[in-house]
Amino acid sequence: MSDPGISVVICVYTEDRYEDILAAVSSVRAQSQPALETLLVVDHNQALLDRLTREYKEAADVRVLANAGPRGLSAGRNTGIAASRGEIIAFLDDDAVAERDWLRYFAEGYADPRVMAVGGRTVPIWASGRRPAWFPEEFDWVVGCTYRGLPPGRVRVRNVLGGNASFRRTAFDVAGGFATGIGRDGDKRPLGCEETELCIRLGKARPDAVLLIDDRAVIHHRVPASRERFRYFRSRAYAEGLSKALVARSVGAAKGLESERRYTTRVLPAGVARGVRDALLARPGGAGRAGAIVAGVLAAAGGYAVGSIRARLGGTRFRIVEIENGDGQEGGGKA
């Protein structure tokens, strides 16, 4: 596949990130393999919608849209998918910039017709200028970045990570769109896992589907000072547990926790051991990293327990929508 035609969707929600949004769009425009289009989907913020519409009113390659569904990242992505024209739809966080060959490496992955999704590597840009000494690389997913424990190179995975990912359009025809009610909703509790749930659902609908991560497809993601703090770390880990409980309820614990079992039994114990070793060698942050890993596991486990109870009592609380291409609208769905 020489040129599959890639639409890039960037979901935005706050004017606080206005300069970051402009930088994200600029990085897409600078790609070695040009995007077919860039779609900015604004999540129920009229002031931001108006401002971006004025910013890009003369730009033929950028479209500004209002989220056509309920508030939240999943519905915004579904709006972008429905309005897009590319055979491949890529997603970029609104506070990230892509390296020049980002889309080229994505496109290469789709030369194999079995490939339904390709993700990349997300590198943190710390507001303080460097990683906090106590912050373990094994938990970089807390700040939306690629974490220690993922295999290097171009490898097959259960799921891609949503802020740096792409899907073949037919994946959404087969599996439906992102489930609403499971992922982020502006500044509320930092839930996630919507891309995990989608990827598992896709694998069930198409058992022959191949999902890849290519670590050459790199983006750089801003981490604000508020997310460098332990309070956010613990809150995000707890929210991940809540989200994982919803995913497990939807797709079953066997698939919903398949990758997490290896992560918790191999990757994290090795991280604790490294932290303890560094502490014994008087290296900065060793004890903090070991303690943070333990605290993160306990927080996630607590969130999973609470989420499981809530799911059993109240049922699944999210909807899987069908994508109606071409008009920016979502189709019907089911709980």
Side-chain angles (χ1 to χ4, degrees):
M1 182 184 295
S2 57
D3 185 4
I6 303 178
S7 297
V8 177
V9 175
I10 304 174
C11 295
V12 305
Y13 72 98
T14 175
E15 288 188 90
D16 293 344
R17 294 183 178 179
Y18 193 76
E19 295 303 320
D20 291 335
I21 295 167
L22 300 187
V25 173
S26 293
S27 75
V28 175
R29 286 175 147 178
Q31 290 294 299
S32 60
Q33 173 158 333
L36 180 65
E37 60 187 345
T38 300
L39 294 91
L40 290 173
V41 183
V42 183
D43 192 15
H44 298 269
N45 184 330
Q46 189 62 47
L48 179 58
L49 179 68
D50 293 342
R51 189 176 180 185
L52 287 172
T53 299
R54 291 192 298 270
E55 180 77 36
Y56 293 107
K57 65 180 180 181
E58 304 295 335
D61 60 332
V62 179
R63 286 193 282 157
V64 181
L65 311 169
N67 179 1
R71 186 182 300 276
L73 181 57
S74 291
R77 287 172 172 167
N78 291 338
T79 297
I81 296 164
S84 64
R85 296 181 288 116
E87 184 179 342
I88 307 300
I89 300 101
F91 299 94
L92 179 66
D93 275 347
D94 62 346
D95 53 355
V97 292
E99 291 192 359
R100 178 172 170 77
D101 292 325
W102 178 60
L103 291 182
R104 179 170 72 86
Y105 289 125
F106 275 176
E108 285 183 6
Y110 292 101
D112 182 343
R114 299 175 302 161
V115 172
M116 289 288 113
V118 182
R121 177 163 58 96
T122 303
V123 179
I125 304 173
W126 302 96
S128 61
R130 62 180 182 178
R131 172 186 299 276
W134 62 269
F135 202 113
E137 293 182 30
E138 292 82 0
F139 272 79
D140 276 5
W141 55 263
V142 163
V143 291
C145 295
T146 301
Y147 56 92
R148 186 170 192 162
L150 287 176
R154 182 194 284 177
V155 294
R156 191 167 181 172
V157 292
R158 180 195 65 180
N159 64 274
V160 296
L161 305 179
N164 179 9
S166 63
F167 292 84
R168 202 183 290 275
R169 177 174 296 282
T170 51
F172 302 109
D173 297 334
V174 169
F178 288 92
T180 59
I182 188 173
R184 285 182 181 266
D185 177 1
D187 291 319
K188 294 183 180 179
R189 184 182 292 278
L191 298 172
C193 293
E194 63 274 20
E195 67 276 357
T196 300
E197 192 276 337
L198 171 62
C199 289
I200 295 174
R201 186 167 13 107
L202 174 59
K204 285 189 168 185
R206 279 282 302 272
D208 62 330
V210 174
L211 286 68
L212 302 174
I213 284 183
D214 188 336
D215 65 6
R216 300 172 300 172
V218 179
I219 70 170
H220 298 265
H221 183 269
R222 289 189 179 276
V223 181
S226 61
R227 296 187 181 182
E228 294 186 10
R229 299 169 185 160
F230 181 74
R231 180 178 180 181
Y232 179 82
F233 177 92
R234 184 177 55 192
S235 173
R236 179 67 184 87
Y238 178 80
E240 185 74 2
L242 291 174
S243 301
K244 281 289 190 297
L246 278 178
V247 172
R249 180 75 172 176
S250 172
V251 302
K255 277 293 183 183
L257 301 176
E258 183 179 44
S259 296
E260 288 73 16
R261 289 191 180 94
R262 176 188 174 277
Y263 174 72
T264 55
T265 59
R266 298 184 185 181
V267 175
L268 295 185
V272 172
R274 276 190 297 271
V276 171
R277 179 202 62 194
D278 288 348
L280 293 174
L281 294 174
R283 293 173 180 169
R289 289 192 298 274
I293 291 174
V294 173
V297 170
L298 292 176
Y304 185 84
V306 171
S308 297
I309 293 171
R310 289 178 179 173
R312 284 198 299 270
L313 293 176
T316 305
R317 297 177 179 272
F318 58 91
R319 296 178 64 247
I320 299 169
V321 304
E322 297 175 2
I323 303 295
E324 296 180 0
N325 295 326
D327 60 1
Q329 300 294 322
E330 297 177 3
K334 59 183 180 180

